[in-house]
Amino acid sequence: MTTMLATRPLAAHAWPGLIATYRDYLPVNEATPVVTLREGNTPLIEALHLSRLIGRSARIWLKFDGLNPTGSFKDRGMTMAVSKAKEAGSEAIVCASTGNTSAAAAAYGGRGGLKVFVLVPDGYVALGKLAQALIYGAEVIPIQGNFDQAFALVRQVADQYPVTLVNSVNRYRLEGQKTAAFEVCEQLGEAPDWLCIPVGNAGNLTAYWMGFSQFYQKGLVRKRPRMMGFEAAGAAALIHGKVIPIPNPETIATAIRIGNPASGVMAVASARQSGGTIDAVTDQEILEAYHLLARHEGVFCEPASASSVAGLLKCHDQIPEGANIVCVLTGNGLKDPDTALKGCTLRHSAIAPTLEAIAMAMGF
Ligand SMILES: *Cc1c(COP(=O)(O)O)cnc(C)c1O
């Protein structure tokens, strides 16, 4: 009798990563050395509690991109950016980051054998994201300044030194990120009526719009959604239909603590073209949505991600009857345990390890 499992060949239906899946829609060729962690194919989860709360026979769905290999949608862009950097012969990459871009750059860059440099705003990166960048082996350079300052610096670094910039101004990033829109269409069988999405540096909103537009032009879907972007109120540089930089952005949602969004002009244009808008939500509204998602939907996202749901709740009176609405949850809640614990109460003192004491604690 054998006690060993037979080796199972990788099933033919196993998800091969988004470049292999959407190769025909992406600027890659036979010579592109694909660096993948099998990102993408994240679940579209029906938000039953939220749907009931909103009423109007609307169905609300959560595109949980926090289930990517490094825990955020940044992996979609990074598989493309790193593969193309390698194809171009680059040996190093650099980015400025509020945390998730650095985690993804560190993982994909390291896997691709590239040197990875990341500039982060000192003290404003969630603990899990910092741990990721370090453990994946990136050179982490904290600066005494915010994301916008870090970003201005990495642009200069990439101009003057032999290193590829992998922030979302790298055009391959948005190409990878648009695949999330493809997946949403395939998962719903049609494009949604609305897409609610957090807005930080403002690349992802346009990436989704590109994806929906591409499927629409191919005739694979019959409509495109209204793009509803939501910034944090303390970092709301885009809400008046143009880019008005905020010098000192502040929000609990550190992933979108960005005062001068690099892709702001494009995001405003995409939202307008779609018949949608970019609005702002307060930290209070973000935290309420964050807790609601965890408690009632069983979905733990990071605070910035919850701005899509906070925005939906804010605009609930505009929701059409019977609408299909997708809220993008950009990152995983485990990245920011500090914010999670701050909003909850933990029993401070341990109790005696007896049945009586435990039953009493449980209220029986
Ligand atoms: C990067 C990021 C965002 C913002 O995306 P942009 O493309 O910069 O607008 C939102 N949420 C999370 C979790 C992120 O990591």
Side-chain angles (χ1 to χ4, degrees):
M1 219 173 75
T2 173
T3 54
M4 279 178 63
L5 280 174
T7 350
R8 190 152 54 99
L10 210 53
H13 61 263
W15 177 265
L18 60 82
I19 293 181
T21 302
Y22 296 113
R23 181 168 274 280
D24 294 348
Y25 295 88
L26 294 169
V28 290
N29 56 58
E30 294 307 307
T32 311
V34 175
V35 179
T36 180
L37 288 162
R38 298 187 167 226
E39 58 294 311
N41 196 29
T42 56
L44 187 70
I45 304 165
E46 186 161 13
L48 297 170
H49 175 83
L50 259 175
S51 301
R52 275 196 301 274
L53 200 66
I54 300 253
R56 301 170 185 250
S57 318
R59 292 181 82 180
I60 318 297
W61 307 82
L62 308 169
K63 179 62 172 165
F64 193 17
D65 246 0
L67 293 181
N68 273 299
T70 79
S72 87
F73 78 85
K74 299 298 199 298
D75 293 344
R76 294 183 183 274
M78 209 52 76
T79 184
M80 278 298 297
V82 168
S83 299
K84 294 303 283 189
K86 266 181 83 82
E87 182 183 334
S90 180
E91 288 173 4
I93 57 176
V94 67
C95 64
S97 177
T98 58
N100 283 332
T101 299
S102 59
Y108 284 82
R111 186 173 171 87
L114 305 179
K115 184 122 185 80
V116 181
F117 299 96
V118 305
L119 264 69
V120 297
D122 192 26
Y124 284 92
V125 173
L127 194 65
K129 303 178 189 180
L130 192 59
Q132 286 181 292
L134 292 168
I135 196 86
Y136 290 134
E139 200 66 58
V140 177
I141 306 168
I143 67 150
Q144 298 164 346
N146 60 27
F147 170 85
D148 302 295
Q149 292 164 298
F151 182 60
L153 285 163
V154 293
R155 286 190 120 153
Q156 294 176 41
V157 169
D159 273 348
Q160 294 174 29
Y161 300 96
V163 39
T164 302
L165 183 63
V166 295
N167 279 101
S168 57
V169 290
N170 175 319
R171 72 181 192 93
Y172 299 117
R173 282 274 310 274
L174 298 199
E175 291 289 335
Q177 287 171 214
K178 77 183 177 189
T179 61
F182 296 165
E183 290 175 21
V184 164
C185 294
E186 287 166 351
Q187 288 167 320
L188 276 180
E190 178 53 86
D193 298 293
W194 282 21
L195 187 99
C196 299
I197 185 167
V199 173
N201 216 20
N204 209 27
L205 187 150
T206 296
Y208 267 89
W209 184 239
M210 283 162 50
F212 287 124
S213 298
Q214 210 167 350
F215 263 28
Y216 181 72
Q217 275 142 20
K218 285 240 167 199
L220 297 171
V221 289
R222 284 171 312 226
K223 62 184 175 196
R224 292 184 292 179
R226 285 181 69 178
M227 303 295 293
M228 308 292 279
F230 298 99
E231 296 182 288
L238 303 178
I239 54 168
H240 299 296
K242 44 182 179 283
V243 186
I244 304 170
I246 311 273
N248 296 303
E250 269 313 334
T251 168
I252 186 164
T254 50
I256 54 173
R257 185 175 170 269
I258 295 174
N260 190 9
S263 303
V265 173
M266 247 180 356
V268 167
S270 303
R272 186 175 295 144
Q273 203 186 342
S274 76
T277 182
I278 296 177
D279 199 349
V281 286
T282 65
D283 280 7
Q284 176 71 26
E285 290 167 326
I286 288 173
L287 285 174
E288 276 167 25
Y290 170 70
H291 285 283
L292 178 151
L293 285 167
R295 227 165 240 266
H296 297 292
E297 306 291 359
V299 176
F300 182 25
C301 66
E302 64 175 284
S305 306
S307 68
S308 60
V309 170
L312 172 72
L313 290 168
K314 183 177 173 186
C315 299
H316 73 275
D317 56 348
Q318 301 170 37
I319 296 171
E321 192 71 30
N324 261 310
I325 298 182
V326 171
C327 293
V328 179
L329 300 183
T330 44
N332 196 304
L334 289 170
K335 284 171 172 276
D336 188 359
D338 293 319
T339 304
L341 287 171
K342 254 180 239 152
C344 305
T345 39
L346 177 69
R347 179 186 298 282
H348 282 295
S349 49
I351 59 168
T354 65
L355 182 59
E356 293 81 1
I358 289 159
M360 182 145 35
M362 292 171 77
F364 290 120

